[in-house]
Amino acid sequence: MTDPENKSSISTIDIYEDVSDWDVNAGGNKVVAKRMTGRFRKLKWFGMSVWLVYFLGPYVRWDGQQAVLFDIPNRQFHFFNVTVYPQDIWMLSLTLLFFAILLAAVTSIAGRVFCGYFCFQTVWTDVYTWIETRLEGDTPQKAMKFKSAPLSAEKVGRITLKHSLWLIIAMLTGLSFAAWFTDAFQLWKDYFTLQAAMPAWIVLAMFTAGTYVFAGFMREQVCFWLCPYARLQSVMYDQDTLLPAYDAERGEPRGKLKKGQVDSAKGSCIDCRMCVAVCPTGIDIRKGQQEGCITCGMCIDACDSIMEKTNQPKGLVRYASYKELHHNHDSIPVFKRPRVMIYGLILMISFGGVVYGFTHLSPTEFQVVPERQPLFVQLSDGSIQNKYTLRLLNKTQHPIEVQYRISGLEGATLHGLDDLVHIEPGRINQLTAFVRLEEDAVNQAISPLIFTADVINGPDIQIRYESMFMGPN
């Protein structure tokens, strides 16, 4: 094998002469990725397990109701004991900003690891191909042998079982999505009794068909041609981004290794093509970074296993930066990279805003709108009257009774309201109120006035709204 100290003696042109052989599988060849154990495969299983929250989350209960529920008809988002209304939409904006910047930050550090470990297309495809390889063969040769085998009861049974499992997973995917927007247990009952609403059937049909086709048949083609993130993430790389890479100076010239023999003229790569066999998109990492690489690290596990068997150091294929491989420089530490620092600052600001919003959510929303036409009226007794519209949203989970009062303007009286006002959960109560003031007490055109809503029956809540009282000039 090539002496590491003499790596510079290999011509760069020779090393990368086959980079021009890049090819993109446009669907003509079916990728049957071999599965191997290793640290990155374990990491991938861990990343995939995060999606269990998608399937199990709707069934978590809290205080007698679904813990997380996007109640679109009532325009409410229930998150355990917190209810978010459209008035708090700014928190959703910050949440989306947080995850968008998180994706950019992670990509600039370690490439498309989101695609490799967490993307729903990658995860569902991995599960579908796992089922397929267990039933039809885990290598292209075994899969071709199964496909070309004459039709038999066993073959039909295996194919039927495969597609049945695919359809079950696809239907569960659609049902789970719908369950986030309505009571999950009631949804199951509605589906089985054919009483589900039309949107629920549409969601089930769309997700079932989409999952079955994308994960079962299109697979890596979705990443190549349909997914915009594949293109967006690729432009976020720089020379310090860590990506699965082939150490060509150590591996070339590649050649088959004969048992019991050592050829010092050859590199560490024995051209076993295991890195290609395990790649879920079917690329050859030895030809350099390509658009099909989802940085999952499966090629690293495969190569390391071969290095062990040939008694060579691991790392021929490894996570490495462009600087490390081509300039023999160490990557800049993450905390010293300006791009990552900016991403981190935005992440902290957006995350802080979301935390602040959730911890300072008001249980009510109170608004007072003065009548503009006319600004005031003078009654027969000479007193000045202003008209107001009071709106109060009950954002708690229980009915409340509210008592209104005014302050801040001596001599002013409140009229037109009941002593107690009942407001149901999630409802806005709108009332018309009148404030009167003796003409002699009006000493300026605009006077400050404070409306206060005291919750009498329910949580200990007091809401104030600063308004104004209009009088003659």
Side-chain angles (χ1 to χ4, degrees):
M1 297 302 164
T2 303
D3 185 356
E5 298 297 328
N6 297 324
K7 289 197 294 185
S8 60
S9 63
I10 303 175
S11 169
T12 303
I13 297 178
D14 293 336
I15 291 174
Y16 298 107
E17 63 181 356
D18 58 353
V19 169
S20 59
D21 296 334
W22 281 1
D23 64 296
V24 177
N25 178 18
N29 300 320
K30 182 178 180 180
V31 176
V32 182
K34 183 178 179 62
R35 291 174 179 269
M36 296 186 65
T37 58
R39 52 180 176 153
F40 290 103
R41 165 49 68 177
K42 292 178 181 177
L43 187 61
K44 186 166 185 174
W45 281 119
F46 175 77
M48 292 168 60
S49 66
V50 173
W51 281 96
L52 290 174
V53 175
Y54 171 80
F55 290 100
L56 303 179
Y59 306 99
V60 177
R61 313 300 286 183
W62 183 269
D63 197 20
Q65 64 180 8
Q66 193 164 313
V68 181
L69 176 63
F70 298 89
D71 189 354
I72 293 179
N74 294 315
R75 299 182 296 277
Q76 301 174 11
F77 167 41
H78 300 284
F79 186 77
F80 291 89
N81 64 334
V82 176
T83 301
V84 180
Y85 288 82
Q87 290 83 350
D88 306 307
I89 193 66
W90 62 272
M91 288 195 301
L92 174 61
S93 302
L94 285 180
T95 302
L96 295 177
L97 174 64
F98 173 82
F99 283 109
I101 298 301
L102 179 62
L103 177 63
V106 171
T107 302
S108 67
I109 295 172
R112 292 169 57 188
V113 289
F114 170 79
C115 297
Y117 296 96
F118 301 103
C119 174
F120 51 86
Q121 173 63 21
T122 301
V123 171
W124 267 250
T125 298
D126 199 75
V127 173
Y128 272 45
T129 54
W130 181 85
I131 294 172
E132 183 178 69
T133 54
R134 290 297 178 273
L135 295 173
E136 299 181 359
D138 61 352
T139 63
Q141 295 77 16
K142 291 181 180 179
M144 183 59 66
K145 181 179 179 181
F146 178 84
K147 183 179 180 180
S148 59
L151 202 62
S152 64
E154 181 184 3
K155 182 176 181 179
V156 172
R158 286 175 178 267
I159 294 175
T160 303
L161 178 59
K162 179 186 78 171
H163 288 280
S164 298
L165 292 174
W166 282 6
L167 283 171
I168 290 173
I169 294 172
M171 292 179 68
L172 285 174
T173 301
L175 194 148
S176 298
F177 182 84
W180 289 94
F181 298 90
T182 186
D183 186 87
F185 295 104
Q186 183 63 40
L187 181 65
W188 277 92
K189 181 180 178 181
D190 291 343
Y191 274 132
F192 279 110
T193 58
L194 304 181
Q195 299 298 316
M198 183 56 66
W201 290 112
I202 294 175
V203 167
L204 181 62
M206 291 179 59
F207 273 79
T208 300
T211 305
Y212 181 70
V213 173
F214 286 170
F217 298 95
M218 294 188 67
R219 300 182 182 179
E220 76 283 347
Q221 298 304 305
V222 175
C223 303
F224 279 127
W225 311 115
L226 298 183
C227 179
Y229 292 106
R231 303 295 183 270
L232 292 175
Q233 292 183 84
S234 298
V235 301
M236 298 177 187
Y237 299 168
D238 58 29
Q239 293 191 7
D240 293 297
T241 302
L242 297 176
L243 301 169
Y246 168 64
D247 190 345
E249 293 187 349
R250 172 186 160 187
E252 302 296 326
R254 69 187 72 155
K256 297 294 183 180
L257 179 65
K258 295 182 179 180
K259 187 176 182 180
Q261 296 183 7
V262 177
D263 189 347
S264 59
K266 293 181 179 179
S268 295
C269 179
I270 64 173
D271 205 19
C272 63
R273 293 185 62 83
M274 283 299 295
C275 56
V276 182
V278 300
C279 180
T281 59
I283 69 167
D284 189 343
I285 193 64
R286 297 173 299 176
K287 295 181 179 180
Q289 188 59 220
Q290 301 163 56
E291 66 173 341
C293 180
I294 57 175
T295 66
C296 62
M298 298 300 101
C299 54
I300 301 177
D301 284 339
C303 188
D304 283 349
S305 68
I306 298 301
M307 292 297 102
E308 281 187 343
K309 292 178 181 179
T310 56
N311 296 319
Q312 299 185 74
K314 295 181 181 179
L316 179 60
V317 179
R318 64 184 185 274
Y319 269 97
S321 67
Y322 184 89
K323 281 184 177 179
E324 179 185 346
L325 286 179
H326 300 281
H327 299 293
N328 294 322
H329 293 311
D330 293 334
S331 299
I332 300 176
V334 172
F335 59 88
K336 290 184 178 180
R337 294 169 59 184
R339 179 186 300 185
V340 177
M341 292 171 63
I342 294 173
Y343 286 151
L345 179 62
I346 299 175
L347 282 174
M348 287 190 294
I349 293 174
S350 57
F351 182 74
V354 173
V355 171
Y356 175 84
F358 272 100
T359 55
H360 290 77
L361 276 177
S362 171
T364 60
E365 193 81 25
F366 186 34
Q367 186 179 25
V368 178
V369 181
E371 181 72 27
R372 296 300 183 186
Q373 297 262 340
L375 293 175
F376 67 91
V377 296
Q378 188 166 16
L379 302 180
S380 58
D381 62 357
S383 60
I384 305 301
Q385 177 176 281
N386 282 198
K387 182 180 178 182
Y388 300 86
T389 299
L390 279 59
R391 300 191 185 102
L392 195 148
L393 168 63
N394 178 11
K395 297 165 67 175
T396 70
Q397 301 299 314
H398 307 282
I400 60 174
E401 290 187 346
V402 178
Q403 187 176 62
Y404 293 101
R405 56 187 175 89
I406 58 174
S407 59
L409 182 59
E410 187 176 355
T413 56
L414 182 63
H415 301 269
L417 298 176
D418 296 331
D419 185 41
L420 291 178
V421 179
H422 183 84
I423 307 176
E424 291 293 327
R427 299 297 179 183
I428 296 178
N429 180 270
Q430 181 169 305
L431 298 171
T432 299
F434 301 93
V435 176
R436 297 172 187 168
L437 185 63
E438 294 295 332
E439 184 179 16
D440 296 340
V442 180
N443 50 27
Q444 54 186 0
I446 302 176
S447 303
L449 179 65
I450 299 174
F451 284 82
T452 302
D454 297 306
V455 177
I456 305 302
N457 183 16
D460 185 15
I461 304 172
Q462 185 183 89
I463 318 104
R464 291 161 52 92
Y465 192 95
E466 295 184 2
S467 185
M468 61 186 69
F469 183 87
M470 310 297 294
N473 290 329

